[in-house]
Amino acid sequence: MSAIVNVVLPVFAIILVGYLSGKARLLGPASSEALNKFVYWIALPPLLFLAMAAASLDEILHWPFIGAFLGSILAVWALAALLGAIVHRARPAILTMQGMNASFSNTGYMGIPLFVAAFGEAGLPPATLATVIMSAVSVGIAVVCLELSGSERQGLGHALKDVVLALAKNPLVVSSIAGIAWSEAGWPIPTPFVTLFQLLGASASPCALFAIGLFLASRPLAADLAEVTWISFLKLIWQPLICWALIVAFFPMEPFWAASAILLAALPTGALTFVVAQQYEVYVERTSAVILVSTIISVVTLSVLLAIYAPAFPNI
């Protein structure tokens, strides 16, 4: 119960404040976009840089965590695409988005704030590693599949070029890699920069959570609820279950990292899926509905998981 009270309630309370502010029109859609850009470009990168610069490469590249977390993503993506093909006979672009919605955890805007609230900077390595995986691997897979599924696109070469360019411009990926390089070089970070990055990074969590609430307030729930429900069920129930099974069967690891992998796999669908859907003008309405429904239901599922795995997190 203390895990729920101390971590989950404050996190979702900030989201609720953002949601109510949006519904009351104190802040509109333009504010949500501005906050998202601030978090994405200004606040999160220094936070990730400091976390990576303070750890060794061996600590960052936790291979059992990568295997279990990435394996659960790929397994759920394939399962969602298979169900979409069988049940809805959807075209390839929609199958791609169904898979992405069912497997894309909101690690950047919810996972990092949740872990910072629970553990401070000690919780950043698994949340940051998961964010890099989501940004690099999941977005890369989606872009390649969507590029190949569009008849007007220019094929695999064009898709791969788009992926490389997108990753090279992704501030979360770039700041994480820069932090790793700085750590490996053994350079100290000047104190003024540490202070600056800490001040900016401290704003990332509340702003990200508040922006989620604003975003949800602007998204109407006007989609096929049956389809949205099974996608949310895959995301919130099956993905953490598959992650747990992979840990037990193939990727044993320390309790903290194992619990972190399962919790990060259980996060609701991330808002970046909506950005991809808008970019390619496919599955936009249902993507926004999945984000809304999975975020609301995750209040219960994350509370249960945090209560179960609280012994692995002595700081809670």
Side-chain angles (χ1 to χ4, degrees), residues 233-244:
F233 185 78
L234 286 178
K235 180 72 206 69
L236 300 175
I237 306 298
W238 274 101
Q239 189 167 348
L241 277 176
I242 291 173
C243 187
W244 169 81

Side-chain angles (χ1 to χ4, degrees), residues 289-309:
V290 169
I291 294 170
L292 176 58
V293 170
S294 66
T295 300
I296 293 172
I297 298 175
S298 69
V299 176
V300 176
T301 55
L302 283 175
S303 298
V304 171
L305 284 174
L306 270 172
I308 292 172
Y309 287 103

Side-chain angles (χ1 to χ4, degrees), residues 21-259:
S21 299
K23 285 299 185 183
R25 299 191 178 182
L26 296 176
L27 296 169
S31 302
S32 175
E33 183 180 355
L35 265 181
N36 272 309
K37 287 185 176 180
F38 170 76
V39 171
Y40 188 73
W41 289 100
I42 307 299
L44 273 179
L47 184 70
L48 299 183
F49 176 84
L50 286 180
M52 296 296 98
S56 68
L57 189 59
D58 289 339
E59 291 173 323
I60 296 166
L61 294 179
H62 195 291
W63 293 110
F65 175 92
I66 294 173
F69 185 71
L70 181 57
S72 69
I73 292 171
L74 298 177
V76 171
W77 195 316
L79 181 58
L82 178 63
L83 287 173
I86 293 174
V87 176
H88 302 286
R89 300 184 182 276
R91 56 191 176 92
I94 292 178
L95 296 179
T96 296
M97 291 308 302
Q98 287 174 328
M100 189 182 193
N101 274 278
S103 62
F104 195 95
S105 292
N106 195 355
T107 56
Y109 290 143
M110 185 176 289
I112 290 176
L114 180 65
F115 275 62
V116 168
F119 324 111
E121 291 189 5
L124 277 173
T128 301
L129 181 54
T131 299
V132 172
I133 291 171
M134 301 309 309
S135 299
V137 179
S138 291
V139 173
I141 292 173
V143 169
V144 169
C145 291
L146 290 169
E147 288 286 344
L148 293 178
S149 67
S151 59
E152 75 279 5
R153 305 292 178 181
Q154 301 176 21
L156 182 59
H158 179 78
L160 292 177
K161 179 182 176 182
D162 277 358
V163 171
V164 172
L165 289 175
L167 294 180
K169 294 186 293 185
N170 187 312
L172 307 186
V173 174
V174 171
S175 60
S176 298
I177 293 175
I180 293 171
W182 200 279
S183 172
E184 288 300 294
W187 298 331
I189 304 174
T191 301
F193 285 98
V194 173
T195 303
L196 171 63
F197 289 175
Q198 286 175 339
L199 288 171
L200 287 172
S203 67
S205 297
C207 288
L209 295 169
F210 191 88
I212 291 174
L214 281 178
F215 171 80
L216 295 177
S218 66
R219 301 263 75 83
L221 185 58
D224 188 331
L225 282 181
E227 185 176 343
V228 169
T229 299
W230 71 254
I231 291 175
S232 299
F233 185 78
L234 286 178
K235 180 72 206 69
L236 300 175
I237 306 298
W238 274 101
Q239 189 167 348
L241 277 176
I242 291 173
C243 187
W244 169 81
L246 289 172
I247 292 170
V248 171
F250 303 108
F251 303 106
M253 63 187 95
E254 305 93 321
F256 172 76
W257 280 88

